[in-house]
PDB file of all heavy atoms in Angstrom:
ATOM      1  N   SER A 356     102.841 115.885  83.400  1.00 96.00           N
ATOM      2  CA  SER A 356     103.584 116.531  84.497  1.00 96.00           C
ATOM      3  C   SER A 356     103.512 115.636  85.741  1.00 96.00           C
ATOM      4  O   SER A 356     102.697 114.713  85.815  1.00 96.00           O
ATOM      5  CB  SER A 356     102.961 117.893  84.806  1.00 96.00           C
ATOM      6  OG  SER A 356     101.716 117.717  85.447  1.00 96.00           O
ATOM      7  N   GLY A 357     104.362 115.956  86.731  1.00 96.00           N
ATOM      8  CA  GLY A 357     104.336 115.199  87.982  1.00 96.00           C
ATOM      9  C   GLY A 357     102.962 115.202  88.627  1.00 96.00           C
ATOM     10  O   GLY A 357     102.462 114.176  89.077  1.00 96.00           O
ATOM     11  N   GLY A 358     102.352 116.380  88.645  1.00 96.00           N
ATOM     12  CA  GLY A 358     101.021 116.489  89.241  1.00 96.00           C
ATOM     13  C   GLY A 358      99.991 115.652  88.495  1.00 96.00           C
ATOM     14  O   GLY A 358      99.134 115.006  89.104  1.00 96.00           O
ATOM     15  N   GLN A 359     100.094 115.657  87.167  1.00 97.00           N
ATOM     16  CA  GLN A 359      99.162 114.846  86.379  1.00 97.00           C
ATOM     17  C   GLN A 359      99.408 113.359  86.606  1.00 97.00           C
ATOM     18  O   GLN A 359      98.457 112.576  86.703  1.00 97.00           O
ATOM     19  CB  GLN A 359      99.301 115.192  84.893  1.00 97.00           C
ATOM     20  CG  GLN A 359      98.752 116.578  84.557  1.00 97.00           C
ATOM     21  CD  GLN A 359      99.098 117.025  83.142  1.00 97.00           C
ATOM     22  OE1 GLN A 359     100.092 116.578  82.556  1.00 97.00           O
ATOM     23  NE2 GLN A 359      98.288 117.897  82.594  1.00 97.00           N
ATOM     24  N   GLN A 361     100.528 112.015  89.314  1.00 97.00           N
ATOM     25  CA  GLN A 361      99.982 111.619  90.608  1.00 97.00           C
ATOM     26  C   GLN A 361      98.459 111.549  90.547  1.00 97.00           C
ATOM     27  O   GLN A 361      97.849 110.731  91.224  1.00 97.00           O
ATOM     28  CB  GLN A 361     100.462 112.571  91.721  1.00 97.00           C
ATOM     29  CG  GLN A 361     100.193 112.086  93.143  1.00 97.00           C
ATOM     30  CD  GLN A 361     100.878 110.776  93.489  1.00 97.00           C
ATOM     31  OE1 GLN A 361     100.725 109.773  92.770  1.00 97.00           O
ATOM     32  NE2 GLN A 361     101.617 110.746  94.583  1.00 97.00           N
ATOM     33  N   ARG A 362      97.832 112.386  89.712  1.00 97.00           N
ATOM     34  CA  ARG A 362      96.372 112.286  89.561  1.00 97.00           C
ATOM     35  C   ARG A 362      95.984 110.976  88.878  1.00 97.00           C
ATOM     36  O   ARG A 362      94.965 110.367  89.219  1.00 97.00           O
ATOM     37  CB  ARG A 362      95.840 113.497  88.814  1.00 97.00           C
ATOM     38  CG  ARG A 362      95.692 114.704  89.768  1.00 97.00           C
ATOM     39  CD  ARG A 362      95.916 116.016  89.080  1.00 97.00           C
ATOM     40  NE  ARG A 362      94.892 116.307  88.102  1.00 97.00           N
ATOM     41  CZ  ARG A 362      94.962 117.290  87.208  1.00 97.00           C
ATOM     42  NH1 ARG A 362      96.035 118.080  87.197  1.00 97.00           N
ATOM     43  NH2 ARG A 362      94.004 117.485  86.345  1.00 97.00           N
ATOM     44  N   PRO A 381     102.013 111.518  99.498  1.00 96.00           N
ATOM     45  CA  PRO A 381     101.529 111.639  98.117  1.00 96.00           C
ATOM     46  C   PRO A 381     101.931 112.942  97.432  1.00 96.00           C
ATOM     47  O   PRO A 381     101.930 113.015  96.211  1.00 96.00           O
ATOM     48  CB  PRO A 381     100.003 111.552  98.256  1.00 96.00           C
ATOM     49  CG  PRO A 381      99.732 112.007  99.645  1.00 96.00           C
ATOM     50  CD  PRO A 381     100.898 111.523 100.469  1.00 96.00           C
ATOM     51  N   THR A 382     102.290 113.951  98.221  1.00 96.00           N
ATOM     52  CA  THR A 382     102.679 115.226  97.612  1.00 96.00           C
ATOM     53  C   THR A 382     104.178 115.490  97.769  1.00 96.00           C
ATOM     54  O   THR A 382     104.659 116.582  97.455  1.00 96.00           O
ATOM     55  CB  THR A 382     101.888 116.398  98.243  1.00 96.00           C
ATOM     56  OG1 THR A 382     102.177 116.443  99.644  1.00 96.00           O
ATOM     57  CG2 THR A 382     100.401 116.217  98.051  1.00 96.00           C
ATOM     58  N   ASN A 384     106.757 114.628  96.134  1.00 94.00           N
ATOM     59  CA  ASN A 384     107.544 114.931  94.928  1.00 94.00           C
ATOM     60  C   ASN A 384     106.908 116.010  94.060  1.00 94.00           C
ATOM     61  O   ASN A 384     107.260 116.147  92.895  1.00 94.00           O
ATOM     62  CB  ASN A 384     107.704 113.666  94.067  1.00 94.00           C
ATOM     63  CG  ASN A 384     108.745 112.718  94.626  1.00 94.00           C
ATOM     64  OD1 ASN A 384     109.493 113.083  95.544  1.00 94.00           O
ATOM     65  ND2 ASN A 384     108.807 111.526  94.096  1.00 94.00           N
ATOM     66  N   LEU A 385     105.952 116.741  94.625  1.00 96.00           N
ATOM     67  CA  LEU A 385     105.192 117.672  93.787  1.00 96.00           C
ATOM     68  C   LEU A 385     105.496 119.124  94.127  1.00 96.00           C
ATOM     69  O   LEU A 385     105.794 119.459  95.276  1.00 96.00           O
ATOM     70  CB  LEU A 385     103.689 117.420  93.961  1.00 96.00           C
ATOM     71  CG  LEU A 385     103.196 116.017  93.595  1.00 96.00           C
ATOM     72  CD1 LEU A 385     101.682 115.928  93.804  1.00 96.00           C
ATOM     73  CD2 LEU A 385     103.566 115.652  92.162  1.00 96.00           C
ATOM     74  N   ASP A 386     105.392 119.990  93.109  1.00 96.00           N
ATOM     75  CA  ASP A 386     105.531 121.425  93.368  1.00 96.00           C
ATOM     76  C   ASP A 386     104.247 121.939  94.040  1.00 96.00           C
ATOM     77  O   ASP A 386     103.278 121.201  94.209  1.00 96.00           O
ATOM     78  CB  ASP A 386     105.846 122.183  92.071  1.00 96.00           C
ATOM     79  CG  ASP A 386     104.737 122.082  91.034  1.00 96.00           C
ATOM     80  OD1 ASP A 386     103.567 121.799  91.421  1.00 96.00           O
ATOM     81  OD2 ASP A 386     105.016 122.263  89.849  1.00 96.00           O
ATOM     82  N   THR A 387     104.289 123.197  94.448  1.00 95.00           N
ATOM     83  CA  THR A 387     103.190 123.762  95.240  1.00 95.00           C
ATOM     84  C   THR A 387     101.846 123.675  94.529  1.00 95.00           C
ATOM     85  O   THR A 387     100.832 123.306  95.116  1.00 95.00           O
ATOM     86  CB  THR A 387     103.506 125.242  95.535  1.00 95.00           C
ATOM     87  OG1 THR A 387     104.847 125.314  95.997  1.00 95.00           O
ATOM     88  CG2 THR A 387     102.600 125.786  96.584  1.00 95.00           C
ATOM     89  N   ARG A 388     101.871 123.996  93.239  1.00 95.00           N
ATOM     90  CA  ARG A 388     100.639 124.009  92.456  1.00 95.00           C
ATOM     91  C   ARG A 388     100.044 122.599  92.345  1.00 95.00           C
ATOM     92  O   ARG A 388      98.847 122.389  92.574  1.00 95.00           O
ATOM     93  CB  ARG A 388     100.978 124.582  91.074  1.00 95.00           C
ATOM     94  CG  ARG A 388      99.883 124.534  90.060  1.00 95.00           C
ATOM     95  CD  ARG A 388      98.862 125.643  90.307  1.00 95.00           C
ATOM     96  NE  ARG A 388      97.657 125.353  89.534  1.00 95.00           N
ATOM     97  CZ  ARG A 388      97.560 125.563  88.231  1.00 95.00           C
ATOM     98  NH1 ARG A 388      98.572 126.077  87.562  1.00 95.00           N
ATOM     99  NH2 ARG A 388      96.441 125.272  87.592  1.00 95.00           N
ATOM    100  N   SER A 389     100.905 121.611  92.029  1.00 96.00           N
ATOM    101  CA  SER A 389     100.420 120.232  91.892  1.00 96.00           C
ATOM    102  C   SER A 389      99.997 119.661  93.237  1.00 96.00           C
ATOM    103  O   SER A 389      99.051 118.873  93.318  1.00 96.00           O
ATOM    104  CB  SER A 389     101.505 119.344  91.283  1.00 96.00           C
ATOM    105  OG  SER A 389     101.891 119.837  90.026  1.00 96.00           O
ATOM    106  N   THR A 390     100.702 120.073  94.299  1.00 96.00           N
ATOM    107  CA  THR A 390     100.309 119.658  95.652  1.00 96.00           C
ATOM    108  C   THR A 390      98.883 120.119  95.935  1.00 96.00           C
ATOM    109  O   THR A 390      98.054 119.345  96.416  1.00 96.00           O
ATOM    110  CB  THR A 390     101.283 120.257  96.698  1.00 96.00           C
ATOM    111  OG1 THR A 390     102.562 119.647  96.520  1.00 96.00           O
ATOM    112  CG2 THR A 390     100.807 120.010  98.115  1.00 96.00           C
ATOM    113  N   ALA A 391      98.605 121.372  95.590  1.00 95.00           N
ATOM    114  CA  ALA A 391      97.258 121.912  95.820  1.00 95.00           C
ATOM    115  C   ALA A 391      96.222 121.103  95.027  1.00 95.00           C
ATOM    116  O   ALA A 391      95.140 120.799  95.537  1.00 95.00           O
ATOM    117  CB  ALA A 391      97.214 123.385  95.434  1.00 95.00           C
ATOM    118  N   ASP A 392      96.547 120.751  93.769  1.00 95.00           N
ATOM    119  CA  ASP A 392      95.629 119.954  92.947  1.00 95.00           C
ATOM    120  C   ASP A 392      95.318 118.615  93.592  1.00 95.00           C
ATOM    121  O   ASP A 392      94.157 118.211  93.728  1.00 95.00           O
ATOM    122  CB  ASP A 392      96.241 119.685  91.563  1.00 95.00           C
ATOM    123  CG  ASP A 392      96.273 120.926  90.689  1.00 95.00           C
ATOM    124  OD1 ASP A 392      95.595 121.913  91.029  1.00 95.00           O
ATOM    125  OD2 ASP A 392      96.992 120.896  89.662  1.00 95.00           O
ATOM    126  N   VAL A 393      96.389 117.913  94.003  1.00 96.00           N
ATOM    127  CA  VAL A 393      96.202 116.566  94.556  1.00 96.00           C
ATOM    128  C   VAL A 393      95.459 116.626  95.891  1.00 96.00           C
ATOM    129  O   VAL A 393      94.551 115.825  96.153  1.00 96.00           O
ATOM    130  CB  VAL A 393      97.565 115.838  94.683  1.00 96.00           C
ATOM    131  CG1 VAL A 393      97.449 114.590  95.538  1.00 96.00           C
ATOM    132  CG2 VAL A 393      98.101 115.485  93.295  1.00 96.00           C
ATOM    133  N   LEU A 394      95.810 117.621  96.737  1.00 97.00           N
ATOM    134  CA  LEU A 394      95.102 117.753  98.020  1.00 97.00           C
ATOM    135  C   LEU A 394      93.634 118.104  97.794  1.00 97.00           C
ATOM    136  O   LEU A 394      92.760 117.647  98.539  1.00 97.00           O
ATOM    137  CB  LEU A 394      95.786 118.802  98.898  1.00 97.00           C
ATOM    138  CG  LEU A 394      97.164 118.411  99.426  1.00 97.00           C
ATOM    139  CD1 LEU A 394      97.753 119.535 100.271  1.00 97.00           C
ATOM    140  CD2 LEU A 394      97.104 117.108 100.217  1.00 97.00           C
ATOM    141  N   GLY A 395      93.369 118.902  96.770  1.00 96.00           N
ATOM    142  CA  GLY A 395      91.983 119.228  96.429  1.00 96.00           C
ATOM    143  C   GLY A 395      91.192 117.986  96.041  1.00 96.00           C
ATOM    144  O   GLY A 395      90.027 117.821  96.430  1.00 96.00           O
ATOM    145  N   ARG A 460     103.647 130.441  93.369  1.00 37.00           N
ATOM    146  CA  ARG A 460     103.564 131.488  92.349  1.00 37.00           C
ATOM    147  C   ARG A 460     102.326 132.342  92.526  1.00 37.00           C
ATOM    148  O   ARG A 460     101.330 131.880  93.012  1.00 37.00           O
ATOM    149  CB  ARG A 460     103.535 130.854  90.957  1.00 37.00           C
ATOM    150  CG  ARG A 460     104.936 130.480  90.494  1.00 37.00           C
ATOM    151  CD  ARG A 460     104.879 129.522  89.331  1.00 37.00           C
ATOM    152  NE  ARG A 460     104.444 128.202  89.795  1.00 37.00           N
ATOM    153  CZ  ARG A 460     104.200 127.203  88.987  1.00 37.00           C
ATOM    154  NH1 ARG A 460     104.287 127.341  87.712  1.00 37.00           N
ATOM    155  NH2 ARG A 460     103.838 126.037  89.468  1.00 37.00           N
TER     156      ARG A 460
END
Side-chain angles (χ1 to χ4, degrees):
S356 72
Q359 289 170 335
Q361 192 61 307
R362 279 148 66 191
T382 60
N384 283 349
L385 300 181
D386 63 22
T387 312
R388 173 78 195 283
S389 301
T390 293
D392 288 346
V393 167
L394 291 179
R460 279 164 288 174

